[in-house]
Amino acid sequence: MGQEERTYTISNTTFVRPATFYISGFSNIPYDKYYYVFLFFVYIMTVLGNGLLLSVIYLVKTLHTPKYMIVFSLALTDLCGSTALIPKVLDTFLFDRRYIVYEACLSYMFFVWFFASLQSWTLVTMSYDRFIAICFPLRYHRVVTKPAIAAMLLLTWVVSLSLFALAAGLLDRLSFCGSLVIQSFFCDHGPIYRLACNDTSLNYIIAYVGLITVIFCPLILILLTYVCIAIALSRIASGLDRLKALKTCTSHLILVALFFLPLVGINLAVMTSYIHPNARIFNSTLTHTVPALLNPIIYSLKTEEVLISIRKLFKNNRLCNQTSSKKLLSLCFLY
């Protein structure tokens, strides 16, 4: 690529660091620009949807509950995760700015995976909320409190921050003396460390730790909570009560399926067989973007409390506007 390299020596070990990397993206796909335009509209709708949900939860006092603290956290991480990824993807491929500065690339990787990890563990926190609500309904308000949920969410931030800061730090200990082309649509961890020409065993380990932390461990915990929920529901005599309890889980189950199924599918496929880079990139972009778009839509349409709160907000806003208009008119008549 003809890019300059920088050489550093730390503790008698020489590190060769490139000034820039080159992000390859799709290869030999005609009209791929239309796909990036589609991502642009996905991002706009994600910002509007999550922004609306965040505003409703913040403004409506009745939604200041532990459950909606979790929903607020998910909407916030969806918004931040999409903002960390999509604008840079559009800048890279729509405007053909495929070279990225070395330090910016590591930051890019950190923020994309940091927010993906937060999304994953926020879904686990949601499943914990449903588990306590259905399996221990009498203890719910004593166990699921605002301080308890705040502590759980804070823990997910600290663990995710530590893990992906470590992953970025270990990448910074690698030498890149060969190809600088990242075979992905963003500065992904795996495609970066595989370009290195020195020992990458620690990076390989942290990649698997990241995979277990972001995908498999949260998914197993969620599945276990739903096994417990299914057992608790089977003990409810009334079919109507059973259905009512199950309905409270449908929004969460849809979110879990949207987030985890594509991630698990693509990672298992990569580990067990060959997948064309274009197919992997297409699947990965949708996995990182579509759940963040659909989460607020699902919560707005499937949760009656949110729908009522949105209607109440618009109704109050309309009344305020009418009151303001009447005051202006009376002032005009006075003068």
Side-chain angles (χ1 to χ4, degrees):
M1 291 292 169
Q3 300 294 305
E4 66 169 288
E5 291 178 344
R6 292 165 287 178
T7 306
Y8 301 87
T9 303
I10 302 169
S11 304
N12 298 322
T13 306
T14 302
F15 296 95
V16 180
R17 291 175 190 161
T20 58
F21 285 111
Y22 181 86
I23 302 174
S24 66
F26 289 118
S27 58
N28 302 318
I29 290 186
Y31 311 114
D32 60 340
K33 290 273 193 291
Y34 293 112
Y35 180 64
Y36 298 117
V37 171
F38 162 73
L39 286 183
F40 169 74
F41 285 109
V42 166
Y43 178 64
I44 295 298
M45 295 307 294
T46 300
V47 170
L48 292 173
N50 284 289
L52 174 66
L53 191 55
L54 288 168
S55 302
V56 169
I57 294 169
Y58 178 75
L59 293 169
V60 179
K61 295 283 186 281
T62 54
L63 296 181
H64 292 187
T65 61
K67 177 187 172 181
Y68 284 100
M69 277 176 70
I70 307 169
V71 176
F72 187 92
S73 177
L74 183 65
L76 183 63
T77 53
D78 282 343
L79 186 59
C80 294
S82 293
T83 302
L85 179 69
I86 301 178
K88 186 60 187 169
V89 167
L90 298 177
D91 181 60
T92 302
F93 300 110
L94 268 182
F95 303 103
D96 204 25
R97 294 170 184 156
R98 300 193 182 210
Y99 286 101
I100 182 167
V101 175
Y102 173 82
E103 291 82 4
C105 192
L106 296 193
S107 299
Y108 190 12
M109 182 280 297
F110 167 78
F111 282 110
V112 170
W113 281 111
F114 169 62
F115 287 116
S117 177
L118 289 179
Q119 286 169 307
S120 179
W121 283 98
T122 304
L123 289 171
V124 174
T125 313
M126 277 184 169
S127 71
Y128 169 76
D129 172 79
R130 291 298 84 212
F131 166 70
I132 300 296
I134 292 169
C135 298
F136 305 100
L138 298 177
R139 297 184 199 171
Y140 180 79
H141 292 292
R142 275 186 293 143
V143 175
V144 183
T145 61
K146 286 182 184 180
I149 294 300
M152 288 176 76
L153 294 173
L154 182 63
L155 182 65
T156 65
W157 278 73
V158 171
V159 171
S160 300
L161 185 72
S162 305
L163 177 63
F164 291 103
L166 177 63
L170 288 173
L171 285 176
D172 201 37
R173 305 281 296 176
L174 298 178
S175 282
F176 299 90
C177 43
S179 171
L180 301 176
V181 179
I182 297 171
Q183 299 291 338
S184 186
F185 66 102
F186 76 105
C187 290
D188 203 353
H189 180 263
I192 294 174
Y193 85 75
R194 290 189 196 102
L195 297 175
C197 51
N198 59 339
D199 181 33
T200 60
S201 54
L202 280 175
N203 303 88
Y204 180 81
I205 291 165
I206 205 75
Y208 270 89
V209 170
L211 198 66
I212 291 163
T213 305
V214 176
I215 302 172
F216 294 108
C217 189
L219 186 57
I220 288 165
L221 287 172
I222 290 167
L223 290 175
L224 284 172
T225 60
Y226 275 101
V227 167
C228 296
I229 286 168
I231 293 166
L233 289 176
S234 68
R235 291 173 182 162
I236 297 173
S238 167
L240 193 64
D241 289 341
R242 200 181 301 142
L243 187 65
K244 197 184 289 183
L246 190 61
K247 267 188 174 181
T248 65
C249 301
T250 52
S251 298
H252 179 251
L253 284 169
I254 294 166
L255 301 186
V256 168
L258 282 170
F259 184 83
F260 285 105
L261 288 180
L263 272 175
V264 171
I266 195 69
N267 281 288
L268 287 177
V270 166
M271 286 190 284
T272 55
S273 62
Y274 171 78
I275 288 186
H276 193 279
N278 285 346
R280 186 167 53 81
I281 289 168
F282 182 75
N283 185 289
S284 297
T285 50
L286 293 179
T287 300
H288 279 278
T289 54
V290 172
L293 166 70
L294 295 179
N295 287 355
I297 297 169
I298 290 162
Y299 253 94
S300 298
L301 295 177
K302 295 286 290 179
T303 312
E304 199 174 337
E305 290 165 292
V306 176
L307 275 174
I308 292 165
S309 298
I310 291 169
R311 286 195 205 105
K312 199 184 288 181
L313 272 178
F314 280 110
K315 190 178 178 181
N316 290 344
N317 191 45
R318 203 180 301 126
L319 283 170
C320 285
N321 288 337
Q322 285 173 359
T323 308
S324 300
S325 300
K326 282 175 184 176
K327 282 180 180 177
L328 279 169
L329 279 168
S330 60
L331 282 168
C332 288
F333 281 123
L334 282 168
Y335 288 102

